[in-house]
């Protein structure tokens, strides 16, 4: 018997059980609002019953965004950048290996997909960028299903904050000059960054 049927049966017996003692319309419908509200509210069943039902993808700028849906209403989000552009059909191919499986094994699923396609570009590039987005979405679902932050599932939190650098996007300038480097660096500092990055190899 499904979780929904169990809830309905229990609430009906508990809320309308007294209806047998009276013929009043009020008594007969007492508790129905609670039953209806419960039915409208998504309820997660046991994690062991969780299954992937769909894998969707969208693109914005240079980013790829993955949405993984499940049979319990839980949704996972993942992102891939750079090489993930135009990977629509690669996502669809990977989705065939995910739908119907439990999303609570992100490491196993990612490894199966990668090892199963080692001669189809699985070492780097678009394949890895796409798989990264899918794996992130699987981790997102896993954390939501278990009610735990992902860092805890991956071994625990080592620090409360992390220093980040700013990619100055100097590659947007054609044949950048020293002044371009200085301007890009100053812009990053003005935005609050204390570390910056230049792609020197692209400036030649």
């Amino acid at each position: 018997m499904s979780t929904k049927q169990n809830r309905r049966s229990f609430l009906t017996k508990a809320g309308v059980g007294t209806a047998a003692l009276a013929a009043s319309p009020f008594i007969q419908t007492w508790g129905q609002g609670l039953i209806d509200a419960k039915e409208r509210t998504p309820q997660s069943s046991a994690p062991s019953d969780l299954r992937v039902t769909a894998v969707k993808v969208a693109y914005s700028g240079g980013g790829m965004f993955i949405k993984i849906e499940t049979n319990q209403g839980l949704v996972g989000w993942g992102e891939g950048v750079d090489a993930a552009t135009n990977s629509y059909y690669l996502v669809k191919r990977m989705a065939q290996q995910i739908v119907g499986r439990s999303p609570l094994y992100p490491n196993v699923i990612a490894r199966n997909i990668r090892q199963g396609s080692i001669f189809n570009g699985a070492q780097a590039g678009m394949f890895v960028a796409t798989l990264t987005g899918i794996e992130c979405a699987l981790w997102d679902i896993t954390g939501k299903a278990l009610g735990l932050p992902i860092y805890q599932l991956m071994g625990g939190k080592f620090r409360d904050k992390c220093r980040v650098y700013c990619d100055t996007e100097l590659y947007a300038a054609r044949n950048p000059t020293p002044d371009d480097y200085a301007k890009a660096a100053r812009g990053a500092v003005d935005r609050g960054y204390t570390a910056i990055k230049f792609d020197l190899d692209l400036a030649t």
Side-chain angles (χ1 to χ4, degrees):
M1 183 177 292
S2 69
T3 303
K4 179 179 288 188
Q5 290 173 327
N6 283 334
R7 291 201 313 273
R8 177 176 291 278
S9 176
F10 172 77
L11 291 171
T12 300
K13 291 178 181 178
V16 194
T18 56
L21 302 178
S24 167
F26 172 78
I27 295 297
Q28 291 177 352
T29 59
W30 183 82
Q32 188 63 44
L34 175 59
I35 295 174
D36 293 341
K38 292 288 288 184
E39 293 300 324
R40 290 194 301 268
T41 303
Q43 301 288 321
S44 296
S45 60
S48 60
D49 298 327
L50 192 62
R51 293 292 182 273
V52 173
T53 56
V55 180
K56 300 179 180 180
V57 63
Y59 298 89
S60 178
M64 174 198 72
F65 299 91
I66 295 289
K67 178 183 180 183
I68 296 182
E69 300 175 349
T70 69
N71 61 333
Q72 295 180 21
L74 292 177
V75 173
W77 296 93
E79 179 182 6
V81 296
D82 298 331
T85 304
N86 300 322
S87 57
Y88 177 82
Y89 290 103
L90 187 54
V91 173
K92 294 302 180 183
R93 193 177 80 187
M94 292 183 182
Q96 295 176 352
Q97 303 176 65
I98 298 174
V99 173
R101 299 183 64 177
S102 168
L104 303 184
Y105 301 93
N107 286 332
V108 174
I109 293 176
R111 183 168 182 173
N112 288 163
I113 292 176
R114 188 169 184 273
Q115 288 185 333
S117 302
I118 199 68
F119 295 113
N120 294 319
Q123 294 89 341
M126 183 184 291
F127 192 99
V128 171
T130 303
L131 182 55
T132 295
I134 288 179
E135 186 178 4
C136 286
L138 291 171
W139 275 110
D140 188 28
I141 293 175
T142 301
K144 291 173 179 176
L146 301 180
L148 292 171
I150 303 304
Y151 68 77
Q152 190 166 337
L153 297 176
M154 289 185 167
K157 182 172 63 173
F158 287 87
R159 56 186 62 85
D160 291 319
K161 58 183 180 179
C162 180
R163 186 186 185 192
V164 298
Y165 71 84
C166 173
D167 186 343
T168 58
E169 297 185 353
L170 191 65
Y171 49 78
R174 188 176 184 85
N175 298 320
T177 65
D179 286 341
D180 291 324
Y181 283 94
K183 182 179 179 180
R186 172 52 61 187
V189 172
D190 290 343
R191 293 197 299 275
Y193 290 96
T194 60
I196 61 175
K197 170 192 170 187
F198 292 120
D199 293 320
L200 297 176
D201 56 325
L202 299 178
T204 58

